[in-house]
C-alpha cells in the first residue's frame, strides 16, 4: 500500500541528512544568523549540545506573521526562483534546517524585528500561533534534548566532551569566516570563547592567534591576490610549520567553509616541493568568486561545492600559493644555501630524490662538477678502499667516500656504489634507539638548560596534561604553564638537540589524532616516529668521513634500517655493472 508520510516523519527523515549531531544544529543556526545580518553571535551549550544549543543574534529578526512559517518545510525567505539559486549569496536556501531540527528536538524560536515593540515566540514542531515574549531585536533559537524522540540516532552520540569538541570547531570556523562579527561561546555556563568583532589589523591578528594559536600566527604568510574574477586571500603556514595531520586547514568559498578534493589537491601540489610526503600544510584561505561559478547545492549540509570551471580554479589556487611560498623562500634569510631557504622541517628540500629514478639522476649529476683529471668515481674510490679494507671483508654498506650536496653519503662497497639518504637513515636509527629505550623501561630525560615555553591551543594543552605520565616515560619533562601553554623542561636524551617547540607540537598532534582510546603501543610508536624525525641529522650538515662511517656501521646494526619510518628507502646501491652501462661500457 502506498501512502503519504506524515509531515513530522518527512522532517525526521530529512533531519537524518542535515542534523547529524549537536554541531550540525549549531552550524545551521549560525548560518541563519549570519544570513540575517547579525553582528554578534552568542552560543550557549549544555552537555555538549545534547541538552541545549542556543544561538542568539542581533540580526533582522522574523516578523510575527512569518514565525510559524519558518518552522515549515521548504519555507525560506532566501530564494524564490531557480535563477535565484544560481546566484545565491546567502548561506542557506533549502528551507529545511529549522523544520528538520524541530522534528528531532524541543525547539523554541523567539524573534523581534526592528519595528516590533517586543518579541514573539513559537515552539516546534507544529507551527502554532506566536505568543508575545520579551526579546531584544534579533532572534534566539533554542534547541533542547536533541534526538529525544529518535533513540536510534541518540545512540550514535559520543561523550559530551566529544560532541562539544565538534560543536566548538563549528563555532571557531564561523569566527574565522567572519572576522567582522563578534562571537561568544559558553559551555555548561562556562565561557569558552569571547571574540569581539575584529576590524583593525591588530584585532584581526589577535583573533587569528586566539583561534589558531600563536605559533600559526608567527609562522604564517599573508597572501592576497586576484585575477580573472577570482580572488584569494588569507594566510598560509610556512613549510617549516608543517603538521603531522591536516588539522589546521580552513578553506572558505564565498564565506562558506568547505572541504573539497579539488581545493585540497591544488594546495597540496603548491607545497609539493617544499613539504615532505606525509606532512600537511596549515592554512586559512578565502576564495571569492561570482556565485554563478560555483554550485553550492550538491550536499545537504553544504560541506561540498562544485565549480563550474574547476580547471581554472585549481590552477589559480596552485599558482597563487606556489608563488607565495617561493617568494617567502627568497626573502627569508636561512642558514643553508639559498636554494634551501624554504627548507621543510623534516626532509630537506630535495624533491627530485623522492623517486628511485631521482636518486639515479643525482648520482649521474655528481660527475658534472668534476671536469678534467680530478677524482672520477672509480679512481678516487679505488685508492680509498684499498687502504681501508680488502673487498672481501668490506662491510655491507662499505666505506664513505664523500657527501653529496649535504644530502647523500656516497660510499663504496664490494659491489659498487652505495648512496645513503643521510637524514632518512639517521631518523630510522634514532627511532629504533628510542623504541629500545622505551621497551627497557623508559628513555631518560635530558633536562634543558633553559626550559622552553610552547604555545598550544587550550585543548592541546589539556591533552598534554592528561598524557603527562605517558610522555614522561618517553623522556618528556613537561608541565602546564598556563591555559594555552606548556613548559618543556626536558627532552628524551636521544632528542636533546631537537627543536623543543616543533617537536612538542607534532607530538601533540599525534596524540590528538589517536585519541585516548587507541592502543598505547600504536600511540607510542607514532610519537616515537615523529620524535625521531626531529632528532635526526638535518640535511645540509657536513659530516666528517669518520662520522659518515659511523653512521653506516650503525645502519648495519639497526633493525629495519633499509627504510625510514615513513617507508622511504634509506639507501640504494649502484653495482659496477649498472655504472658500466651508464658509460655504455661492455656493450
Ligand atoms: P533556510 O536558511 O534554508 O532559508 P531555515 O529552515 O534554516 O531555511 O530557515 C527558514 C527561514 O527562517 C529562513 O529563510 C529565514 O527567513 C528565517 N530565519 C531562520 N533563522 C533566522 C534568524 N536567526 N534570523 C532571521 N530569520 C531567520
Ligand atoms: Mg538555514
Amino acid at each position: 500500500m502506498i501512502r503519504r508520510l506524515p509531515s513530522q516523519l518527512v522532517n525526521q527523515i530529512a533531519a537524518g541528512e542535515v542534523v547529524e549531531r549537536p554541531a550540525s544544529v549549531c552550524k545551521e543556526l549560525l548560518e541563519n544568523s549570519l544570513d540575517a545580518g547579525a553582528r554578534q553571535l552568542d552560543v550557549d551549550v549544555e552537555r555538549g549540545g545534547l541538552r541545549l544549543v542556543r544561538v542568539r543574534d542581533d540580526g533582522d529578526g522574523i516578523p510575527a506573521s512569518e514565525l510559524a512559517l519558518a518552522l515549515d518545510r521548504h519555507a525560506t525567505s532566501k530564494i524564490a526562483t531557480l535563477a535565484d539559486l544560481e546566484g545565491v549569496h546567502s548561506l542557506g536556501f533549502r528551507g529545511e534546517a529549522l523544520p528538520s531540527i524541530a522534528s528531532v528536538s524541543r525547539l523554541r524560536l523567539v524573534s523581534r524585528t526592528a519595528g516590533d515593540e517586543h518579541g514573539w515566540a513559537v515552539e516546534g514542531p507544529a507551527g502554532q500561533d506566536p505568543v508575545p515574549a520579551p526579546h531584544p531585536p534579533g532572534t534566539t533559537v533554542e534547541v533542547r534534548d536533541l534526538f529525544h524522540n529518535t533513540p536510534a540516532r541518540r545512540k550514535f552520540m559520543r561523550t559530551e566532551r566529544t560532541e562539544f569538541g565538534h560543536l566548538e570547531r563549528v563555532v571557531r570556523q564561523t569566527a574565522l569566516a567572519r572576522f567582522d562579527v563578534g562571537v561568544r561561546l559558553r559551555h555548561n555556563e562556562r565561557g569558552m570563547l569571547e571574540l569581539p568583532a575584529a576590524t583593525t589589523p591588530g584585532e584581526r591578528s589577535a583573533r587569528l592567534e586566539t583561534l589558531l594559536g600563536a605559533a600559526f600566527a608567527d609562522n604564517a604568510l599573508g597572501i592576497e591576490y586576484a585575477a580573472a574574477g577570482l580572488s584569494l586571500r588569507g594566510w598560509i603556514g610556512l613549510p617549516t610549520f608543517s603538521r603531522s595531520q591536516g588539522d589546521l586547514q580552513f578553506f572558505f568559498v564565498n564565506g562558506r567553509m568547505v572541504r573539497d578534493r579539488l581545493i585540497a589537491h591544488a594546495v597540496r601540489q603548491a607545497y609539493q616541493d617544499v613539504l615532505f610526503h606525509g606532512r600537511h600544510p596549515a592554512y586559512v584561505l578565502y576564495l571569492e568568486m561570482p556565485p554563478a561559478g560555483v554550485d553550492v547545492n550538491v550536499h545537504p549540509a553544504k560541506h561540498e561545492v562544485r565549480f563550474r570551471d574547476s580547471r581554472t580554479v585549481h590552477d589559480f589556487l596552485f599558482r597563487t600559493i606556489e608563488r607565495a611560498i617561493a617568494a617567502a623562500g627568497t626573502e627569508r634569510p636561512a642558514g643553508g644555501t639559498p636554494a634551501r631557504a624554504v627548507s621543510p622541517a623534516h626532509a630537506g628540500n630535495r624533491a627530485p630524490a623522492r623517486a628511485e629514478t631521482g636518486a639515479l639522476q643525482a648520482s649521474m649529476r655528481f660527475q658534472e662538477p668534476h671536469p678534467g683529471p680530478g677524482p672520477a668515481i672509480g679512481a678516487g674510490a679505488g685508492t680509498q678502499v684499498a687502504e681501508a679494507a680488502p673487498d672481501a671483508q668490506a662491510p655491507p654498506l662499505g666505506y664513505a667516500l664523500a657527501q653529496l650536496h649535504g644530502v647523500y653519503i656516497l660510499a663504496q662497497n664490494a659491489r659498487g656504489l652505495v648512496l645513503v639518504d643521510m637524514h632518512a637513515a639517521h631518523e630510522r636509527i634514532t627511532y629504533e634507539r628510542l623504541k629500545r629505550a622505551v621497551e627497557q623501561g623508559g628513555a631518560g630525560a635530558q633536562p634543558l638548560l633553559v626550559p622552553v615555553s610552547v604555545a598550544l591551543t587550550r585543548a592541546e594543552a589539556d591533552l598534554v596534561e592528561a598524557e603527562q605520565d605517558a610522555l614522561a616515560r618517553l623522556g618528556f619533562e613537561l608541565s602546564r604553564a598556563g591555559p594555552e601553554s606548556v613548559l618543556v623542561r626536558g627532552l628524551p636524551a636521544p632528542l636533546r638537540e631537537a627543536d623543543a617547540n616543533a617537536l612538542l607540537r607534532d607530538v601533540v598532534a599525534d596524540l590528538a589524532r589517536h585519541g585516548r582510546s587507541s592502543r598505547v603501543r600504536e600511540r607510542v610508536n607514532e610519537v616515537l616516529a615523529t620524535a625521531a624525525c626531529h632528532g635526526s641529522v638535518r640535511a645540509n650538515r657536513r659530516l666528517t668521513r669518520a662520522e659518515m662511517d659511523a653512521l653506516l656501521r650503525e645502519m648495519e646494526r639497526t633493525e629495519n634500517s633499509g627504510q625510514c619510518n615513513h617507508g622511504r628507502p634509506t639507501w640504494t646501491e649502484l653495482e659496477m655493472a649498472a655504472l658500466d652501462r651508464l658509460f655504455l661500457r661492455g656493450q
Side-chain angles (χ1 to χ4, degrees):
M1 189 177 76
I2 300 179
R3 68 185 131 212
R4 215 165 262 288
L5 297 174
S7 71
Q8 164 80 348
L9 182 54
V10 172
N11 286 333
Q12 284 173 332
I13 292 169
E17 278 187 316
V18 190
V19 191
E20 195 191 344
R21 52 181 6 142
S24 22
V25 170
C26 188
K27 171 176 185 289
E28 294 293 339
L29 300 186
L30 289 171
E31 289 189 352
N32 281 345
S33 295
L34 291 177
D35 281 346
R39 315 298 304 175
Q40 175 67 38
L41 303 169
D42 291 330
V43 184
D44 273 288
V45 175
E46 283 173 24
R47 307 227 357 237
L50 292 163
R51 175 179 299 174
L52 172 72
V53 179
R54 179 170 49 220
V55 174
R56 163 176 296 209
D57 66 52
D58 58 354
D60 297 339
I62 308 173
S65 59
E66 295 178 13
L67 265 186
L69 204 53
L71 299 186
D72 226 9
R73 193 168 165 68
H74 303 312
T76 178
S77 57
K78 298 169 193 174
I79 58 168
T81 67
L82 186 62
D84 290 347
L85 178 58
E86 284 174 4
V88 72
H89 284 279
S90 54
L91 295 166
F93 49 83
R94 299 169 65 102
E96 264 184 341
L98 291 185
S100 300
I101 296 167
S103 74
V104 292
S105 68
R106 297 183 225 277
L107 182 145
R108 185 174 135 93
L109 168 63
V110 190
S111 194
R112 175 174 159 194
T113 61
D116 286 338
E117 267 157 30
H118 55 76
W120 294 89
V122 286
E123 284 177 20
Q128 342 80 339
D129 286 337
V131 295
H135 198 278
T139 304
T140 297
V141 181
E142 200 171 82
V143 176
R144 290 186 181 276
D145 304 325
L146 186 64
F147 302 135
H148 70 97
N149 54 354
T150 52
R153 241 315 146 81
R154 214 190 150 79
K155 262 197 243 133
F156 281 99
M157 291 303 101
R158 311 283 295 276
T159 61
E160 181 177 324
R161 198 183 139 131
T162 305
E163 292 305 334
F164 181 73
H166 288 288
L167 189 145
E168 187 181 18
R169 196 171 162 87
V170 163
V171 175
R172 286 171 174 271
Q173 283 168 8
T174 306
L176 276 179
R178 291 287 301 272
F179 276 68
D180 57 325
V181 173
V183 178
R184 204 153 48 209
L185 172 65
R186 297 169 61 79
H187 187 210
N188 297 333
E189 320 244 288
R190 264 185 46 210
M192 305 300 287
L193 208 54
E194 171 81 63
L195 299 164
T199 44
T200 67
E203 290 166 350
R204 291 168 67 86
S205 53
R207 180 179 283 205
L208 188 69
E209 200 174 307
T210 309
L211 291 171
L212 298 185
F216 177 81
D218 290 345
N219 286 282
L221 294 170
I223 67 174
E224 181 149 20
Y225 184 71
L230 301 172
S231 101
L232 185 71
R233 60 186 174 82
W235 297 271
I236 57 174
L238 289 170
T240 41
F241 185 70
S242 70
R243 314 266 300 170
S244 60
Q245 57 179 337
D247 59 342
L248 285 189
Q249 302 184 340
F250 300 91
F251 200 98
F252 301 87
V253 179
N254 293 345
R256 189 189 300 280
M257 162 96 190
V258 295
R259 299 214 153 265
D260 183 272
R261 296 252 300 275
L262 177 104
I263 292 167
H265 183 267
V267 179
R268 208 176 327 120
Q269 207 175 335
Y271 273 91
Q272 171 165 288
D273 286 350
V274 290
L275 259 202
F276 196 68
H277 176 71
R279 304 289 303 172
H280 300 267
Y283 54 85
V284 184
L285 290 170
Y286 306 85
L287 176 68
E288 303 288 337
M289 59 189 296
V294 49
D295 185 356
V296 290
N297 190 25
V298 290
H299 187 279
K302 303 177 239 103
H303 292 305
E304 290 164 23
V305 291
R306 198 178 292 137
F307 296 104
R308 189 143 298 159
D309 186 355
S310 55
R311 190 73 243 165
T312 304
V313 173
H314 183 280
D315 290 354
F316 172 76
L317 294 177
F318 166 63
R319 295 249 152 70
T320 308
I321 298 169
E322 189 191 45
R323 231 178 291 140
I325 296 170
T330 48
E331 277 162 22
R332 286 173 78 82
T337 58
R340 279 171 214 289
V342 186
S343 78
H346 295 112
N349 182 6
R350 55 202 146 102
R354 214 171 282 157
E356 207 68 43
T357 52
L360 181 61
Q361 280 162 12
S363 76
M364 289 167 66
R365 234 182 297 131
F366 170 69
Q367 298 151 61
E368 289 167 13
H370 292 275
I377 292 186
T383 41
Q384 173 68 32
V385 167
E387 48 188 63
D391 275 3
Q393 290 163 19
L397 296 177
Y399 292 101
L401 304 170
Q403 201 177 349
L404 181 65
H405 288 305
V407 173
Y408 294 104
I409 293 170
L410 306 187
Q412 167 174 321
N413 70 1
R415 284 180 298 276
L417 177 67
V418 175
L419 287 153
V420 175
D421 179 331
M422 240 166 67
H423 170 84
H426 196 261
E427 181 178 327
R428 184 81 223 177
I429 291 168
T430 309
Y431 174 72
E432 292 294 338
R433 211 186 276 161
L434 279 172
K435 213 165 74 176
R436 235 172 13 246
V438 169
E439 274 157 14
Q440 288 162 4
Q446 172 86 26
L448 297 180
L449 283 177
V450 183
V452 176
S453 159
V454 179
L456 299 168
T457 64
R458 182 192 295 253
E460 288 172 333
D462 286 345
L463 187 62
V464 168
E465 202 166 28
E467 299 276 358
Q468 204 164 1
D469 290 346
L471 288 168
R473 278 194 293 281
L474 300 179
F476 288 95
E477 275 183 21
L478 307 164
S479 57
R480 182 86 178 233
E484 296 186 342
S485 68
V486 164
L487 199 64
V488 183
R489 283 183 280 99
L491 291 178
L495 299 175
R496 60 185 167 272
E497 286 180 29
D499 171 351
N501 210 305
L503 170 59
L504 187 69
R505 268 194 276 116
D506 277 357
V507 163
V508 170
D510 282 340
L511 289 174
R513 181 175 40 197
H514 282 278
R516 299 215 61 180
S517 54
S518 68
R519 299 220 318 276
V520 174
R521 172 154 223 101
E522 269 167 26
R523 242 170 45 215
V524 165
N525 284 348
E526 175 99 33
V527 169
L528 290 182
T530 299
C533 200
H534 283 271
S536 57
V537 188
R538 289 282 166 277
N540 241 354
R541 194 174 126 203
R542 294 230 71 83
L543 297 182
T544 65
R545 201 171 288 167
E547 285 173 323
M548 293 191 265
D549 279 335
L551 185 66
L552 295 174
R553 301 296 79 80
E554 188 139 20
M555 283 174 71
E556 286 158 353
R557 279 197 303 271
T558 301
E559 230 179 296
N560 301 320
S561 70
Q563 284 195 343
C564 78
N565 314 318
H566 304 105
R568 293 179 283 133
T570 54
W571 62 280
T572 185
E573 189 177 74
L574 285 174
E575 293 187 16
M576 289 307 285
L579 289 168
D580 288 345
R581 275 198 295 282
L582 291 176
F583 296 94
L584 310 175
R585 210 185 271 167
Q587 284 191 351

